[in-house]
Amino acid sequence: MLIDGHGRKVDYLRISLTERCNFRCQYCMPEKPFSWVPRENLLSFEDLFKFVRAAIDLGITKIRLTGGEPTLRADLDRFIKMICDYKSDIDLAMTTNGYLLAGIAKDLKAAGLKRINVSLDSLRPETAQRIAGKDVLENVIAGIEVALDAGLKVKVNMVPLKGVNDDEIVDVLEWCKERGIQVRFIEYMENVHAHSDLKGMHGREILERIKERYTIQKIGRQGSSPAFLYRLEDGYTFGLIDPHKHDFCESCNRIRLTAEGYLIPCLYFDEAMSIKEAVQAGDIDKAVEILKEVLANKPKENRWSEETSEASSRAFYETGG
Ligand code: SAM
């Protein structure tokens, strides 16, 4: 079992497969052009798998593939199959922007993927384009439909932004409700890579918008999930992820691995240690030693706060959110 320095059990590994993305979402990517890490710096699926296998042996029961955009890694189904062949009951999920999903959802499901979260910030083509930096909506919706047909469990993530898509909170909720998809509204997390003029919405403001149309009832958090769940009168449930409160840090069960091999203990902070050399040399004991050191130093909580809106210097496209 993996336990961090604050006594929290860690059983959830999030792997960012690449920092590259085919979107340029305003809340995640800088306005100015920047260069990607060269492909040869990324860990191969074989090297990633060496670490994954050791992490599973140590008690990791849930893995999420993310990015950047994970579907940009060629032969993604091969990596999924490597993990599922090793542990068939692993809870394996992926977070994606959905743009390429229609073409690969069936293969990913066949390889063993169980669940996906798709980012859907707007149902208006021009707003989706404004946020993502290109015309994306048609592909994303097609991706969600094919994924549902393929039998993947789908959730939708939306980041409401003032003056951009905040008038679509109820529309996105209803679109998801009609399809039996759970939507999770995520508070914008301030970070130095995002466009500087963005204003996020606090969880209570998001709930107020929904309350204008619906009566909602609190359910609570399930397990270590960061989402606080709410129920509408007709039984539909949606989630709210509000990192500006710190009440989910105390049950944080996550560790993040980047495509370059850095283990990151908290989404907010810059600290990281590399397992790249160790796994490339086949020294898994060393990689496990590094993992334990990172967990021993995992911060107690992030530093986003309702009062100060501190900005993190960590890039979401690198850590995978
Ligand atoms: N490309 C994939 C996608 O779009 O879902 C996976 C990576 S993305 C970094 C993972 C999640 O992080 C998405 O749901 C995205 O909305 C969320 N995210 C990125 N930057 C964020 C920010 N500044 N605040 C809140 N959520 C953010």
Side-chain angles (χ1 to χ4, degrees):
M1 193 191 289
L2 294 167
I3 304 285
D4 77 2
H6 299 280
R8 296 169 293 198
K9 180 174 160 191
V10 173
D11 56 9
Y12 180 14
L13 172 66
R14 295 176 65 103
I15 307 174
S16 170
L17 290 179
T18 172
E19 59 162 18
R20 284 167 200 255
C21 193
N22 43 358
F23 287 16
R24 292 285 175 282
C25 295
Q26 296 186 353
Y27 49 71
C28 187
M29 296 256 179
E31 278 159 280
K32 293 193 195 110
F34 63 104
S35 0
W36 299 118
V37 168
R39 281 211 170 79
E40 56 273 20
N41 287 18
L42 305 187
L43 284 176
S44 65
F45 284 157
E46 283 68 25
D47 285 335
L48 283 171
F49 181 63
K50 285 182 212 162
F51 180 76
V52 166
R53 204 170 41 194
I56 291 175
D57 291 347
L58 286 164
I60 293 292
T61 57
K62 179 173 170 185
I63 295 178
R64 179 172 295 274
L65 308 178
T66 175
E69 177 45 42
T71 61
L72 293 183
R73 278 291 285 254
D75 304 327
L76 179 56
D77 55 333
R78 186 168 71 82
F79 185 54
I80 290 172
K81 192 166 177 328
M82 284 161 92
I83 299 173
C84 295
D85 281 350
Y86 187 66
K87 191 146 174 50
S88 58
D89 62 346
I90 190 94
D91 180 5
L92 185 61
M94 178 172 82
T95 301
T96 172
N97 60 33
Y99 192 77
L100 298 172
L101 202 52
I104 56 172
K106 287 193 176 68
D107 291 342
L108 301 185
K109 174 75 169 74
L113 188 68
K114 297 183 177 67
R115 304 184 290 112
I116 54 167
N117 288 19
V118 184
S119 301
L120 178 69
D121 293 315
S122 174
L123 292 165
R124 290 188 299 244
E126 59 290 351
T127 307
Q129 174 158 10
R130 178 175 165 197
I131 296 170
K134 72 177 188 194
D135 184 12
V136 297
L137 188 61
E138 206 179 308
N139 275 31
V140 174
I141 289 185
I144 293 175
E145 280 164 0
V146 174
L148 287 170
D149 276 355
L152 284 164
K153 282 196 190 151
V154 179
K155 285 183 185 162
V156 154
N157 291 339
M158 176 186 187
V159 181
L161 300 167
K162 284 186 181 155
V164 180
N165 62 350
D166 56 335
D167 56 340
E168 289 193 82
I169 291 171
V170 170
D171 294 346
V172 172
L173 178 132
E174 289 179 344
W175 189 91
C176 291
K177 184 154 88 84
E178 278 161 24
R179 287 158 183 80
I181 295 172
Q182 185 184 98
V183 60
R184 290 138 48 106
F185 299 102
I186 308 178
E187 282 181 348
Y188 166 60
M189 290 169 247
E190 296 77 10
N191 67 95
V192 299
H193 306 273
H195 292 210
S196 50
D197 54 349
L198 291 184
K199 287 239 173 332
M201 289 180 79
H202 281 303
R204 61 174 181 283
E205 296 174 308
I206 296 170
L207 292 175
E208 273 158 23
R209 291 293 170 89
I210 300 170
K211 283 183 193 161
E212 285 168 13
R213 192 80 60 87
Y214 292 100
T215 303
I216 61 177
Q217 188 196 340
K218 277 185 180 178
I219 304 180
R221 284 185 215 292
Q222 286 180 332
S224 308
S225 168
F228 196 101
L229 295 183
Y230 295 84
R231 189 183 289 120
L232 304 187
E233 275 176 325
D234 61 10
Y236 174 74
T237 59
F238 67 93
L240 177 69
I241 299 182
D242 49 358
H244 293 82
K245 282 189 195 160
H246 298 110
D247 51 356
F248 61 70
C249 294
E250 66 193 37
S251 62
C252 184
N253 62 341
R254 303 158 177 226
I255 182 84
R256 292 176 166 80
L257 176 64
T258 73
E260 278 193 282
Y262 287 103
L263 279 173
I264 297 178
C266 173
L267 186 56
Y268 185 97
F269 293 91
D270 249 0
E271 288 106 44
M273 282 181 81
S274 177
I275 56 155
K276 188 175 178 179
E277 255 182 53
V279 288
Q280 285 182 336
D283 189 349
I284 300 308
D285 289 346
K286 178 72 189 166
V288 167
E289 204 181 290
I290 295 168
L291 168 64
K292 290 188 173 161
E293 189 174 339
V294 171
L295 289 181
N297 295 317
K298 187 170 155 74
K300 193 162 176 245
E301 57 186 30
N302 72 52
R303 239 183 245 145
W304 283 293
S305 89
E306 298 235 13
E307 297 76 40
T308 57
S309 295
E310 268 194 66
S312 163
S313 49
R314 264 267 164 236
F316 280 69
Y317 59 85
E318 189 191 13
T319 56

